[in-house]
Amino acid sequence: MHIEIQRNADISITKQIYQSILDHIRSELVEEELQLPSVRELSKQLGVSLVTVVKAYQKLDQEGYITSVQGKGTFIRKTKVQESERKENTRSYDWQLAVQDYLPRSQFARFHQVPERIHLSSSMIDPGLLPNRYLEQEIQRMFSENPKVLSQYGEIQGDQALRQAMVEYLQRLNLPTSPENILVTSGSQQGIDLIARTFVGPGDVVVMEAPTYPGAIDVFRGRGATILTVPVDSDGMRVDLLQNLCDKYKPKIIYTVPTFHNPTGAVMPTKRRRQLLEIAKSTQCLVIEDDPCSEIYFVRKPPASMKSLDEDGHVIYLKGLSKILAPGCRIGILTASGSIFKRLLAAKANTDLGSPLLTQKAILPFISSKRMMDHLKKLRTALKIRRDLVLEILSKHAPEEVSWFIPKGGLNVWITLPSWIHTDHLLLEAKKEQITFLPGSACYPTEQENHHLRISFSYMKEQQLHQGVTTICHILQLAIDSKMKQESSPHF
């Protein structure tokens, strides 16, 4: 397990050690019951004091992530899951523990595709709501008209016809651009990774929302960034707090999801978007505007993107098409300006020499047609019904100590519990019922808040959604009743 210490960072070394070990545990990059280095060994390895390591270990022990056995050492604690769920190893791979890696965190992948029967943990859309039949017909037509498509490489920047179609698509979202400033990526996740690979190195400051999209945290943590956070309210990132942070630390990048924020669902008003852009200009930093689903609105269209307000090339805009159209195609786009774009294009060339041509050609006819707008309209209607169902169930069955944010678009509901409830523990109970959700701890880059959870209402059909959310409410009520019973029982 590699622990990288940044001695010039404003985050204490104790906290860096604690966070690194915690990220490895939560990402399942280390095995349960693995023995950690002794305090003396780790302090020598990192070149820090014994007290510094002791404090980090104590915090992990207090929070239940590690355990110390007198005379034997310190170990990763076993999670409380049924033994039948554990896979028996037929052979030992213990020797692999000696192979050093430099992957500090990969939490999002744990919750993206899971075997549970009722899957509420990732923001995917029910395949029954996607234009699968039409895309199948288009792929067959494409093969009949161009049977050599599989033997051709596409352009590194992306298929010219698709980039032109995306210009027209983005214009409908009030975002003017040109084919020359569009880069086709293998989903928006690759867009985040390309930006991080190009512009972020160890110790560079990246400002993120708290909470935020876990996949972005994983990428920036992997680059060794010093991540600082700004809390989110009902209007998105708190720019009043962002200003003070930027004045003091001069970040390289500000990462934000301003439209139907993931995970809370908040929408940043135009005034605040302009303020954020002014802060970026004054500190000469880049802004990553991640826009996964601004088309999925339930009340009214959201404000224009920050990129449309950007006159000086500070904003790198990411738009994913996977969720709303064809997850199997893994298509997204990135648009930027000037030398920033040229450097990102070079990074794309180094990464994979261009996204697959087949998948780009497969979605092109749909993107270019009126069918796309009709599809989005139907999708908004279907997802609003599912959102309303979740809100109705929460209103009827959630304990009174529980609150939630009502999203006006997007795919998720963000739920807040009493501060003493740890949603990682609730997830273990939910999995016994073959239900999963995203624990809030995965959405915090630094200081974890463990009493939140995210339910995605977009993937499960209504019957499963009703059963899953009702069961989660029941689990919450049992946890609260148990706590109240403990507090009311007499102590002798």
Side-chain angles (χ1 to χ4, degrees):
M1 179 172 55
H2 176 71
I3 299 176
E4 185 171 326
I5 298 298
Q6 298 168 9
R7 300 183 187 279
N8 296 324
D10 287 282
I11 300 173
S12 70
I13 294 177
T14 293
K15 187 174 178 180
Q16 290 182 52
I17 296 170
Y18 159 82
Q19 188 67 57
S20 181
I21 296 174
L22 180 58
D23 282 340
H24 277 80
I25 294 171
R26 283 181 163 164
S27 303
E28 296 184 348
L29 297 175
V30 290
E31 296 181 5
E32 294 179 3
E33 300 185 291
L34 172 74
Q35 184 171 3
L36 294 173
S38 69
V39 170
R40 191 173 300 278
E41 288 172 341
L42 190 56
S43 66
K44 184 177 179 180
Q45 174 187 326
L46 300 177
V48 301
S49 71
L50 288 171
V51 173
T52 297
V53 179
V54 167
K55 288 180 178 179
Y57 276 18
Q58 285 177 340
K59 185 170 176 59
L60 289 164
D61 193 0
Q62 290 167 1
E63 295 179 0
Y65 293 105
I66 65 174
T67 183
S68 296
V69 180
Q70 185 70 31
K72 292 186 177 180
T74 302
F75 301 85
I76 306 295
R77 190 184 292 271
K78 249 187 178 182
T79 55
K80 298 176 182 178
V81 297
Q82 294 177 346
E83 289 298 322
S84 60
E85 295 179 13
R86 299 185 183 279
K87 296 180 180 179
E88 294 184 2
N89 292 323
T90 56
R91 63 177 65 183
S92 174
Y93 295 108
D94 289 348
W95 66 269
Q96 294 180 352
L97 299 174
V99 180
Q100 183 68 275
D101 70 75
Y102 297 91
L103 185 65
R105 173 185 156 126
S106 182
Q107 285 198 41
F108 187 57
R110 291 178 54 205
F111 305 103
H112 189 58
Q113 291 183 337
V114 293
E116 273 68 23
R117 180 172 52 88
I118 300 179
H119 181 59
L120 306 176
S121 60
S122 62
S123 303
M124 301 184 294
I125 289 178
D126 178 3
L129 300 178
L130 299 176
N132 301 312
R133 181 60 178 166
Y134 178 83
L135 291 175
E136 176 190 345
Q137 293 171 350
E138 286 301 319
I139 291 172
Q140 290 175 350
R141 185 183 64 80
M142 176 181 61
F143 274 124
S144 65
E145 295 177 358
N146 183 13
K148 296 182 180 180
V149 68
L150 286 177
S151 60
Q152 297 173 331
Y153 284 111
E155 298 177 54
I156 293 172
Q157 188 172 345
D159 181 63
Q160 171 71 26
L162 179 60
R163 286 188 283 125
Q164 180 59 53
M166 287 307 303
V167 168
E168 297 167 8
Y169 182 82
L170 292 175
Q171 284 175 345
R172 290 194 287 267
L173 299 179
N174 298 316
L175 199 168
T177 186
S178 67
E180 293 73 30
N181 287 330
I182 287 180
L183 175 64
V184 177
T185 61
S186 298
S188 55
Q189 184 71 15
Q190 188 189 46
I192 299 170
D193 186 64
L194 290 175
I195 298 166
R197 286 171 180 265
T198 306
F199 298 111
V200 179
D204 284 339
V205 174
V206 174
V207 175
M208 306 185 76
E209 293 151 331
T212 191
Y213 166 54
I217 304 173
D218 294 345
V219 170
F220 291 122
R221 185 81 75 206
R223 294 296 301 167
T226 297
I227 299 178
L228 303 177
T229 59
V230 175
V232 172
D233 62 15
S234 59
D235 288 335
M237 181 183 279
R238 290 275 305 277
V239 293
D240 56 330
L241 301 179
L242 174 66
Q243 180 69 69
N244 295 332
L245 203 64
C246 290
D247 289 343
K248 185 175 181 180
Y249 296 105
K250 306 297 181 187
K252 192 83 167 284
I253 285 175
I254 300 170
Y255 173 84
T256 179
V257 187
T259 305
F260 307 131
H261 173 260
N262 186 1
T264 68
V267 178
M268 187 182 292
T270 299
K271 180 180 178 181
R272 192 174 286 195
R273 294 177 190 231
R274 292 186 184 277
Q275 291 172 330
L276 195 155
L277 192 53
E278 286 301 318
I279 293 171
K281 290 179 182 179
S282 66
T283 55
Q284 293 293 292
C285 73
L286 296 172
V287 176
I288 302 176
E289 181 181 11
D290 195 352
D291 178 15
C293 50
S294 60
E295 301 92 330
I296 309 300
Y297 54 87
F298 304 139
V299 181
R300 63 180 66 88
K301 287 185 178 181
S305 68
M306 279 191 290
K307 184 60 180 172
S308 68
L309 308 173
D310 178 29
E311 298 178 353
D312 302 301
H314 286 275
V315 179
I316 304 171
Y317 175 86
L318 300 175
K319 161 59 67 180
L321 297 173
S322 299
K323 293 185 189 304
I324 62 174
L325 187 56
C329 286
R330 295 299 297 146
I331 295 293
I333 64 101
L334 174 158
T335 181
S337 310
S339 68
I340 294 295
F341 180 82
K342 293 177 182 177
R343 284 181 272 178
L344 290 169
L345 177 57
K348 173 68 172 175
N350 291 344
T351 299
D352 60 12
L353 294 177
S355 297
L357 180 62
L358 176 63
T359 53
Q360 296 179 64
K361 290 294 189 185
I363 70 168
L364 174 58
F366 197 81
I367 289 287
S368 306
S369 71
K370 182 178 178 295
R371 284 178 179 266
M372 182 66 175
M373 295 301 106
D374 293 339
H375 161 64
L376 291 175
K377 185 177 180 180
K378 292 177 181 176
L379 193 58
R380 285 192 289 269
T381 300
L383 292 178
K384 182 179 185 297
I385 291 171
R386 298 188 187 196
R387 180 210 65 168
D388 291 347
L389 173 61
V390 170
L391 296 178
E392 180 184 356
I393 296 168
L394 289 172
S395 297
K396 287 183 178 179
H397 299 290
E400 61 180 13
E401 297 88 348
V402 174
S403 62
W404 52 90
F405 185 89
I406 300 176
K408 295 181 174 62
L411 311 175
N412 309 302
V413 176
W414 183 247
I415 301 173
T416 299
L417 317 177
S419 59
W420 50 265
I421 293 183
H422 198 309
T423 51
D424 285 5
H425 301 157
L426 288 180
L427 182 59
L428 296 176
E429 295 302 314
K431 283 185 173 182
K432 294 176 183 177
E433 305 295 331
Q434 294 185 297
I435 299 169
T436 186
F437 56 79
L438 183 70
S441 59
C443 302
Y444 286 87
T446 52
E447 295 288 346
Q448 272 79 25
E449 291 190 16
N450 299 311
H451 61 290
H452 307 278
L453 63 90
R454 190 194 75 181
I455 287 176
S456 296
F457 53 79
S458 53
Y459 189 65
M460 292 285 95
K461 290 180 170 53
E462 291 171 41
Q463 182 178 357
Q464 295 167 305
L465 197 57
H466 189 285
Q467 182 182 349
V469 178
T470 302
T471 302
I472 290 172
C473 289
H474 177 66
I475 293 171
L476 285 172
Q477 188 65 65
L478 289 177
I480 291 172
D481 290 347
S482 177
K483 176 75 171 180
M484 293 178 64
K485 185 176 181 181
Q486 290 176 9
E487 291 179 348
S488 62
S489 61
H491 297 279
F492 298 98

